[in-house]
Amino acid sequence: MVLLHVLFEHASGYALFAVKEVEEIGMLLPQVEESVLSIGKFNSMVSLAAFFPFKSAQAALENMNAISEGLVHADLKLFLETNLPRSGKKKAVLGVSDAKIGAALQEEFGISIQTGGVVAEIGRGVRLHFHSLVKGLTAHAASKAQLGLGHSYSRAKVKFNVNRADNMIIQSIALLDQLDKDINTFSMRVREWYGYHFPELIKIVSENSMYCRLAQLIGNRKELTEESLESLEEVVMDNAKAQAILDASRSSMGMDISPIDLINIERFSNRVVSLAAYRLELQEYLRSKMSQVAPNLAALIGEVVGARLISHAGSLTNLAKYPASTVQILGAEKALFRALKTRGNTPKYGLIFHSTFIGRAAAKNKGRISRYLANKCTIASRIDCFSEIPTSVFGDKLREQVEERLSFYETGEVPRKNVEVMKEAVKEVSSMVDNEKIVKKKKRKQVAEETEVQAEEIPAAENGAGETPSKKKKKRKAEEAEDAVVTDNRDEETDTPAKKKKKKTESVDTEPAEETAEIAVSEKKKKKKKKENAD
């Protein structure tokens, strides 16, 4: 005979249900699925053995965090130890919905655990009729507890997310790519729209953002004069181009345009210019975030390419776990699977192709340098992920190694060994850490001194605000008097050496007189002792 107990974790507490006639229920699984829906039939199969309510919302959150991680909380351990029968003729089996927590319970108590099958159906029924099975618990209170625990659990997950700094990089690089596409599309629209009025400007100015600024500045080409030449030079940064724009506006073959159309073109070009300015700000933000999160990877391969690698991997931790062969073709998955399917040549590089190193290498060395660069990228990402002190020293050294490898492929000059380079980097980092410690000590001393000064000033202020300036004046006067005495003594030492000699002779004369007085006293004491001995 088997005695099955089912553990159910609810937002209000732990519940242990005893299941009757387990063997028959297991044989008639379709009938069990039907009887789960009606509370009367389900009560005949399942009865509440014990219930342990959580004391507070914090205790409920701690227990749910432990269950989600597959750990046995102290409350759950105490509940099962007191309520789970483990001795008797019937073999005790505990049914659990999650296999992860089931393995932890089996290791903790040494009992047989059952998951799936009948346990899953009974768990479904318990979840449906939980408020009816537990006395004193209403459906409204149960749903309220579930809602509160769900909010607190989600809030804790978001708050203590390990990859929250990586998420900012992932979102910013995605937005940067989207902005590039949008700015290009909008700029082409401005070119086409304003080209009806001033078609010659497209040939003179090829850059998108500059064209939009000029369209915003010029407006109606017929209004351009010699006075507007300086403002054109400020935008174009070239005197010849500004003069060419002025000449082309006088002999342009474009059609006339109404003021309303010009207003709309100017508004749209203004939006494009503001988007381009925001893109520059976003790129600066990405650079600062990469210097904080992954400084070595940014120093090695650049901020944009490094951010794309982190975004494609999902997080810096995932990127650090990848081997160098995976990092090498990261972003070229379609080409890889196509090559494997057609039995063709596999791709040599993925996202790292956008780095400057592969573009500088010769065609025959592109595969070699991409493999070498991917190796260094994995080292840099692991240092960034697992080091406590964020420094770009290792990234700079790894970049030097890639440069040396490029020159080795071109000239044949033998590069340094990796061990030597890493030793140099470790020395630099240790010296930086020592300097930081010294700076921190100095700051602590300054803070301690400031707090002491503040502590001295507080009681003085309590005694009376009028007393403190008078005391300060007295101290200043005393210090000035001491300084004056010191200066007088120095003057005396320099001006009157004869007085010093007199003082010395007087002290020499007084010393022998004192010695003779001491000798006379000692002789009198000796005479007294002799008389006492004679008596």
Side-chain angles (χ1 to χ4, degrees):
M1 293 291 288
V2 177
L3 183 64
L4 178 64
H5 284 79
V6 176
L7 177 68
F8 185 73
E9 307 94 4
H10 194 261
S12 57
Y14 293 116
L16 193 67
F17 292 92
V19 183
K20 302 164 189 175
E21 301 172 354
V22 184
E23 289 84 359
E24 293 177 11
I25 291 170
M27 289 168 68
L28 305 167
L29 196 60
Q31 285 82 352
V32 173
E33 291 176 3
E34 292 175 5
S35 63
V36 158
L37 299 172
S38 65
I39 183 67
K41 289 181 180 179
F42 191 72
N43 262 330
S44 63
M45 291 189 297
V46 176
S47 62
L48 181 67
F51 180 65
F52 176 77
F54 294 129
K55 295 176 182 177
S56 62
Q58 185 64 31
L61 180 61
E62 288 174 4
N63 279 275
M64 288 304 114
N65 282 328
I67 287 167
S68 65
E69 292 169 9
L71 303 172
V72 181
H73 197 267
D75 294 343
L76 179 59
K77 187 179 178 182
L78 180 65
F79 173 66
L80 290 175
E81 280 177 352
T82 52
N83 296 301
L84 188 66
R86 282 186 284 176
S87 61
K89 293 179 181 179
K90 293 183 179 181
K91 185 184 177 184
V93 178
L94 183 65
V96 183
S97 58
D98 187 18
K100 199 175 180 183
I101 191 70
L105 287 169
Q106 190 172 12
E107 188 180 347
E108 185 73 30
F109 295 103
I111 55 173
S112 58
I113 302 292
Q114 187 177 343
T115 55
V118 180
V119 175
E121 289 302 321
I122 291 168
R124 190 163 66 91
V126 169
R127 193 176 297 109
L128 187 63
H129 307 296
F130 185 75
H131 58 276
S132 302
L133 295 168
V134 179
K135 290 181 181 179
L137 185 69
T138 60
H140 179 69
S143 63
K144 201 172 180 181
Q146 285 175 335
L147 185 65
L149 182 61
H151 277 298
S152 57
Y153 182 76
S154 302
R155 197 181 298 114
K157 281 287 180 187
V158 172
K159 187 178 179 181
F160 299 107
N161 186 11
V162 181
N163 304 320
R164 60 182 181 275
D166 306 351
N167 292 336
M168 300 299 114
I169 291 170
I170 291 165
Q171 294 298 327
S172 58
I173 191 65
L175 181 57
L176 200 67
D177 293 339
Q178 189 64 42
L179 276 175
D180 286 335
K181 291 177 186 175
D182 292 344
I183 288 167
N184 276 333
T185 307
F186 295 156
S187 300
M188 292 306 295
R189 184 63 57 204
V190 171
R191 280 173 178 272
E192 190 177 347
W193 200 354
Y194 192 66
Y196 294 131
H197 178 61
F198 194 0
E200 290 82 9
L201 187 62
I202 298 170
K203 294 179 182 178
I204 299 167
V205 179
S206 58
E207 193 181 347
N208 288 333
S209 61
M210 192 181 290
Y211 186 91
C212 293
R213 287 163 66 194
L214 282 170
Q216 187 183 0
L217 175 68
I218 294 167
N220 194 348
R221 60 180 168 76
K222 291 180 180 179
E223 295 176 1
L224 270 180
T225 57
E226 293 288 339
E227 295 174 356
S228 56
L229 193 64
E230 290 183 5
S231 57
L232 287 172
E233 279 183 25
E234 288 178 6
V235 176
V236 181
M237 304 295 288
D238 188 2
N239 189 16
K241 271 189 180 181
Q243 190 62 45
I245 291 166
L246 190 63
D247 296 338
S249 67
R250 288 168 182 167
S251 61
S252 177
M253 57 180 287
M255 68 176 193
D256 293 335
I257 197 165
S258 64
I260 297 170
D261 296 334
L262 270 176
I263 288 166
N264 280 296
I265 292 169
E266 284 174 7
R267 280 183 180 177
F268 187 50
S269 57
N270 187 22
R271 292 291 175 90
V272 178
V273 169
S274 63
L275 273 177
Y278 173 64
R279 188 204 172 279
L280 293 173
E281 292 174 7
L282 186 66
Q283 192 167 8
E284 192 62 35
Y285 165 75
L286 179 65
R287 189 176 289 111
S288 66
K289 290 299 289 183
M290 281 294 291
S291 63
Q292 293 170 10
V293 177
N296 293 300
L297 188 65
L300 171 63
I301 205 169
E303 290 85 6
V304 176
V305 182
R308 284 205 177 99
L309 286 173
I310 292 170
S311 175
H312 201 82
S315 67
L316 183 62
T317 310
N318 291 348
L319 184 64
K321 290 175 183 176
Y322 285 161
S325 57
T326 307
V327 174
Q328 184 181 350
I329 57 166
L330 206 65
E333 288 84 3
K334 285 185 180 178
L336 174 67
F337 292 124
R338 194 189 309 120
L340 292 172
K341 191 176 180 180
T342 58
R343 294 184 182 180
N345 294 327
T346 54
K348 295 176 183 177
Y349 28 69
L351 289 169
I352 60 171
F353 177 76
H354 297 289
S355 69
T356 55
F357 299 112
I358 294 171
R360 284 161 52 194
K364 62 178 181 180
N365 296 325
K366 282 186 187 293
R368 291 180 185 178
I369 201 68
S370 68
R371 188 166 60 249
Y372 190 79
L373 182 61
N375 185 15
K376 298 303 173 189
C377 282
T378 52
I379 293 169
S381 62
R382 286 167 189 173
I383 291 168
D384 288 328
C385 184
F386 302 110
S387 66
E388 295 177 356
I389 304 159
T391 56
S392 61
V393 175
F394 290 99
D396 295 331
K397 293 292 180 184
L398 292 169
R399 189 181 180 86
E400 288 173 12
Q401 279 188 290
V402 180
E403 295 280 358
E404 287 174 6
R405 184 54 62 107
L406 268 174
S407 64
F408 168 68
Y409 290 145
E410 291 173 2
T411 61
E413 186 182 350
V414 180
R416 293 176 293 170
K417 289 184 178 180
N418 191 41
V419 178
E420 297 173 1
V421 177
M422 289 296 109
K423 282 181 180 177
E424 290 177 9
V426 169
K427 282 182 182 177
E428 285 187 23
V429 171
S430 59
S431 64
M432 284 173 64
V433 171
D434 293 338
N435 292 334
E436 285 179 1
K437 284 181 180 177
I438 292 165
V439 170
K440 283 181 181 178
K441 282 183 181 178
K442 287 181 179 178
K443 285 183 179 178
R444 284 175 187 170
K445 284 183 180 178
Q446 287 177 358
V447 170
E449 288 174 0
E450 287 174 1
T451 51
E452 285 177 3
V453 169
Q454 288 175 359
E456 288 175 0
E457 287 177 354
I458 287 164
E462 288 175 355
N463 292 334
E467 294 178 5
T468 51
S470 62
K471 285 182 179 179
K472 285 180 182 178
K473 286 179 181 179
K474 286 178 181 178
K475 284 182 180 178
R476 284 176 188 170
K477 286 180 180 179
E479 287 172 359
E480 288 173 1
E482 287 176 2
D483 293 336
V485 170
V486 171
T487 50
D488 291 337
N489 291 335
R490 284 176 183 171
D491 293 335
E492 286 175 4
E493 286 173 5
T494 53
D495 296 337
T496 58
K499 288 182 181 178
K500 275 189 175 182
K501 287 181 182 178
K502 286 180 182 179
K503 285 180 181 177
K504 283 182 181 178
T505 51
E506 286 173 3
S507 62
V508 169
D509 294 336
T510 54
E511 283 173 4
E514 289 174 359
E515 287 175 3
T516 51
E518 287 175 1
I519 292 164
V521 170
S522 61
E523 285 177 356
K524 286 180 181 179
K525 285 180 179 178
K526 284 178 183 179
K527 287 178 181 179
K528 284 182 180 179
K529 283 181 181 179
K530 284 179 181 179
K531 285 180 181 180
E532 287 172 359
N533 293 328
D535 294 333

